[in-house]
Amino acid sequence: MEFEEYSENTKGNELGKRFSSQSCNVFDELRRFQQLCDAVIKVENEEFPIHRAIMSASSPYFRALFTNALDAVDKREIEIPGVTAEIMHIIIDYAYTRRAKIDKNNIESLLPAADQFLVHGLVRRCCDFLARELEPENCIGIYKFARTYFCLDLERIAYRYLMHNINDVMNGSAEYLNLDLTEVCEILSSDDLNVNSEEITFLAVLLWIDRDPTNRKSHIADLLRTIRLGLLSTQYFVEHVKSHPFVMGNEQCKPIIIDTLKFLYDLDMVEERDLDMANPLARPRIPHDVMFAVGGWTNRSPICTVETYDTRADRWIICSKNDDTPRAYHGTVTIDLKIYVIGGFDGVDCFNSVKCFDAVTKIWSEAGPMISKRCYVSTTVLRGCIYAIGGFDGHVRLNTAERYFPGRNQWMNIAPMNHQRSDASATTLHEKIYICGGFNGEECLNSTEYYDPYANQWTCFAPMRSRRSGLGVKAYGDQIYAVGGFNGISRMSTAERYNPFTDRWESILAMYSPRSNFGVEVIDDMLFVIGGFDGVSTTQAVECFDKKSNEWFDTTEMNARRSALSACVITGLPNTQDYTYKEYIATKQTVQIQDGNIENESSFSF
């Protein structure tokens, strides 16, 4: 038993911790002054006087050594081989004080020794230290280290880090280049590999081969099988993969090339062809981020539908775990793998209620209500707190704002804005909250302001070039993007971005479709606009903007037409696969087999 483990009872726990600390200090003082010591551990000609009972309490190894080993029970001096005096000193210190000096210089020796001597608490401390030290340059080494010593939690954390940061690992890690064939194939073939294009995987293959082309180029066929070649464009495959010297000169690659060309040809011939999830050439990898589109307005009424977007499969999936309260003109944010749905309108009343969806357990619950009712509300997150700003309470447009502390489940008012605004949009950048546009009850606004939480103060900054209500505002890179909206006359497709360093707005390429009251989010380093109202009807169309190429691209439409929805992104879900297209299709197919004919497949999900 470790001295830090006590009852959860508050008073008992506090008393126990004081007793533990005092006891540890007493035992350690007795050891340092060699009082009441009943044994000596010898390592590398260095002697460590100890108390058998204390060391036995710290690990099953020492307990067995001092109670079961016939040659050690009555022996005062025990020599322990296979460990340095420095490491044994740390282990003994930990046994007495529950403290350990762990650093980069001793961790590679300390963890194996702690594992060897079954000092489980120290093993956990070492694993926690390594988890904090994870970087692209060392994550492969830590992952292999954890596997060697069966540190399952550290192995899982290092694996997720490696998969999520594979681009940085490939470009900055000598560890990746020094992997053997089996290891590099294991990484590149994983469904969890975080690449937004299979071109990156092919480049990773070439990078590894180029480290030692003479000996490694013969493995190109094995390496090609790790790439989802069917997800490449036909042009890229023909120009860069098929024609690469490593590939052209290898007989084992020919069947792979033929199968891929046939697959891509068939895919090009059928525009609306669905993904064949069973084909290893085209099986999408599991995304590391999941985008949720929540609620909205369609067919003259609010809905409670939730859809998730699989960026790897470019598909929307209807979630069966919908809220039971239809709402529109609300806000959504994510904190700690949970989605908070804030305020809104059900067609009759404006809400001050807040619902919380735990994306891990898939359970909806009530969170603390806001102080004010707010539909057309702007929401964002800063430093772990949720902000609800402006909106309409059913009577007036608001300039008030409030902040929610998840740990307290409580809202409190903050300084009011300089302007009343509903149907605006807010985002967070550089430790400030920016809100743009909206409607004040008389006109659409181009005014803007930002909130400094340290000063509890709103400050106006350069107005947008266009008046925009029902717009989307999002921090993307180091700039603020304002997209679409209603200018008082028509729905807009125009967009602009703000540079906080120059305090200036500039126009960017317009969207394909005009829209207002849509969802807006950044995922896979792309700015997505989702659904909305185009001036005639609600839409299910989705498009995204790439700041690198300054272009808009059409993506797959949602399943449901809707405006007045809200979108958010969750990163690092342990059950991300539950929200992927692959899982969705598998579940639908299972239901079809069991139930026969299904009229509306879209109502089934994970």
Side-chain angles (χ1 to χ4, degrees):
M1 169 181 172
E2 291 196 13
F3 290 105
E4 294 173 339
E5 297 177 0
Y6 291 94
S7 167
E8 292 298 320
N9 177 274
T10 304
K11 292 183 178 179
N13 195 32
E14 292 176 355
L15 178 62
K17 285 183 177 179
R18 288 198 300 271
F19 178 77
S20 169
S21 177
Q22 293 170 1
S23 298
C24 286
N25 291 337
V26 169
F27 294 143
D28 191 45
E29 185 177 316
L30 290 172
R31 172 177 70 98
R32 284 186 287 108
F33 288 101
Q34 300 186 24
Q35 295 176 325
L36 304 180
C37 295
D38 54 4
V40 174
I41 291 177
K42 296 185 67 176
V43 175
E44 291 185 334
N45 299 320
E46 190 167 337
E47 297 184 348
F48 299 93
I50 52 94
H51 303 87
R52 294 173 187 258
I54 301 299
M55 295 302 297
S56 296
S58 72
S59 100
Y61 174 93
F62 289 111
R63 182 175 182 178
L65 178 67
F66 293 131
T67 60
N68 298 333
L70 296 178
D71 62 339
V73 170
D74 299 320
K75 195 174 180 181
R76 179 171 175 80
E77 294 186 354
I78 298 96
E79 188 166 349
I80 298 181
V83 64
T84 66
E86 177 189 3
I87 296 301
M88 181 55 70
H89 180 74
I90 296 173
I91 291 173
I92 294 173
D93 270 355
Y94 180 79
Y96 278 83
T97 67
R98 292 302 184 263
R99 295 187 297 271
K101 182 184 177 182
I102 304 173
D103 57 39
K104 295 178 181 180
N105 297 320
N106 64 28
I107 186 65
E108 290 189 28
S109 301
L110 182 57
L111 193 153
D115 179 67
Q116 174 188 344
F117 298 122
L118 305 179
V119 187
H120 302 305
L122 186 54
V123 170
R124 287 197 297 273
R125 298 282 181 90
C126 290
C127 289
D128 291 343
F129 173 83
L130 288 173
R132 291 192 298 270
E133 294 294 310
L134 279 168
E135 296 176 346
E137 294 78 12
N138 65 20
C139 62
I140 291 176
I142 291 176
Y143 172 61
K144 294 167 70 173
F145 194 59
R147 292 183 74 172
T148 299
Y149 294 101
F150 303 100
C151 301
L152 300 182
D153 286 342
L154 179 61
E155 179 185 346
R156 174 182 54 81
I157 293 169
Y159 173 79
R160 288 182 63 85
Y161 185 94
L162 167 61
M163 291 292 108
H164 189 74
N165 297 280
I166 189 63
N167 288 322
D168 294 332
V169 172
M170 291 186 306
N171 294 322
S173 171
E175 291 180 342
Y176 171 75
L177 299 177
N178 292 326
L179 292 171
D180 63 32
L181 176 65
T182 301
E183 292 169 336
V184 77
C185 286
E186 179 186 352
I187 290 173
L188 297 183
S189 62
S190 173
D191 280 348
D192 297 311
L193 196 70
N194 184 32
V195 289
N196 55 23
S197 168
E198 288 300 315
E199 296 175 14
I200 295 173
T201 317
F202 181 62
L203 294 175
V205 166
L206 298 182
L207 188 67
W208 183 80
I209 292 176
D210 286 340
R211 178 62 176 254
D212 184 10
T214 302
N215 296 311
R216 292 181 175 182
K217 66 181 181 181
S218 61
H219 301 306
I220 186 64
D222 292 326
L223 293 163
L224 282 183
R225 293 187 182 95
T226 68
I227 305 171
R228 315 294 162 90
L229 296 170
L231 299 180
L232 294 170
S233 69
T234 303
Q235 181 180 358
Y236 185 90
F237 178 76
V238 172
E239 293 181 358
H240 298 278
V241 180
K242 176 178 176 293
S243 60
H244 196 280
F246 293 159
V247 176
M248 292 179 66
N250 191 297
E251 287 294 319
Q252 293 177 315
C253 292
K254 285 185 178 179
I256 302 172
I257 299 302
I258 292 170
D259 288 346
T260 304
L261 284 172
K262 184 178 184 303
F263 178 87
L264 292 174
Y265 176 80
D266 292 343
L267 196 65
D268 289 342
M269 290 298 100
V270 184
E271 290 186 4
E272 297 298 325
R273 179 175 173 179
D274 212 347
L275 286 170
D276 180 3
M277 309 303 293
N279 192 326
L281 287 172
R283 188 175 72 250
R285 300 185 192 267
I286 298 171
H288 283 238
D289 302 330
V290 179
M291 183 158 62
F292 290 75
V294 182
W297 191 276
T298 188
N299 295 328
R300 300 182 179 180
S301 63
I303 59 175
C304 55
T305 305
V306 177
E307 293 188 54
T308 60
Y309 179 64
D310 184 336
T311 56
R312 300 295 175 260
D314 186 25
R315 292 294 187 275
W316 287 90
I317 304 105
I318 291 183
C319 177
S320 61
K321 304 298 182 180
N322 296 327
D323 185 14
D324 57 5
T325 305
R327 69 178 75 203
Y329 303 105
H330 53 285
T332 59
V333 297
T334 58
I335 294 180
D336 296 333
L337 310 182
K338 296 176 182 177
I339 298 174
Y340 290 83
V341 184
I342 302 157
F345 179 63
D346 66 356
V348 178
D349 296 318
C350 296
F351 298 142
N352 67 340
S353 63
V354 179
K355 298 296 285 291
C356 178
F357 176 67
D358 188 320
V360 178
T361 64
K362 302 176 185 175
I363 295 174
W364 286 91
S365 61
E366 292 276 356
M370 292 182 290
I371 298 167
S372 300
K373 293 182 177 182
R374 300 178 189 269
C375 68
Y376 301 102
V377 63
S378 302
T379 56
T380 190
V381 171
L382 177 59
R383 299 181 66 86
C385 292
I386 300 171
Y387 290 77
I389 309 162
F392 181 61
D393 66 1
H395 302 285
V396 296
R397 272 75 189 177
L398 304 172
N399 70 338
T400 60
E402 45 191 301
R403 175 169 54 207
Y404 175 76
F405 300 87
R408 305 178 199 168
N409 192 29
Q410 184 177 6
W411 292 85
M412 65 172 288
N413 283 318
I414 62 172
M417 293 183 289
N418 296 293
H419 300 278
Q420 295 173 294
R421 57 179 89 229
S422 67
D423 218 6
S425 188
T427 190
T428 299
L429 179 67
H430 301 155
E431 298 293 299
K432 292 182 174 66
I433 294 171
Y434 292 80
I435 189 165
C436 305
F439 182 64
N440 64 6
E442 296 180 357
E443 60 180 352
C444 298
L445 305 174
N446 67 343
S447 63
T448 58
E449 46 192 308
Y450 68 81
Y451 176 73
D452 183 341
Y454 302 104
N456 189 29
Q457 180 177 339
W458 290 92
T459 303
C460 294
F461 63 97
M464 295 181 293
R465 295 186 168 197
S466 299
R467 297 178 182 272
R468 301 177 188 272
S469 176
L471 74 164
V473 170
K474 205 69 188 174
Y476 179 32
D478 286 324
Q479 299 191 63
I480 306 291
Y481 284 70
V483 185
F486 179 61
N487 62 7
I489 300 173
S490 62
R491 268 67 194 178
M492 307 164 67
S493 60
T494 60
E496 51 189 300
R497 63 187 167 201
Y498 172 75
N499 186 332
F501 302 107
T502 62
D503 191 30
R504 295 186 65 180
W505 290 89
E506 66 171 350
S507 297
I508 62 171
L509 189 68
M511 296 183 288
Y512 292 124
S513 303
R515 64 182 82 207
S516 65
N517 298 105
F518 49 89
V520 59
E521 257 300 347
V522 172
I523 187 170
D524 264 0
D525 201 30
M526 304 274 277
L527 178 71
F528 279 75
V529 292
I530 307 143
F533 181 69
D534 63 11
V536 178
S537 63
T538 55
T539 179
Q540 63 204 99
V542 180
E543 50 187 300
C544 62
F545 180 76
D546 183 354
K547 68 180 187 299
K548 300 184 189 72
S549 62
N550 279 316
E551 290 181 274
W552 288 94
F553 301 94
D554 280 325
T555 69
T556 300
E557 296 179 341
M558 290 186 293
N559 294 283
R561 293 175 176 270
R562 48 179 154 162
S563 66
L565 70 156
S566 188
C568 58
V569 171
I570 298 184
T571 299
L573 272 173
N575 58 328
T576 298
Q577 192 166 355
D578 291 351
Y579 299 95
T580 63
Y581 187 66
K582 178 180 178 181
E583 184 70 17
Y584 178 59
I585 291 297
T587 304
K588 288 203 299 181
Q589 289 172 344
T590 301
V591 174
Q592 284 178 310
I593 292 171
Q594 293 174 347
D595 296 346
N597 185 34
I598 291 177
E599 294 183 3
N600 182 12
E601 291 184 6
S602 65
S603 64
F604 292 86
S605 62
F606 39 85

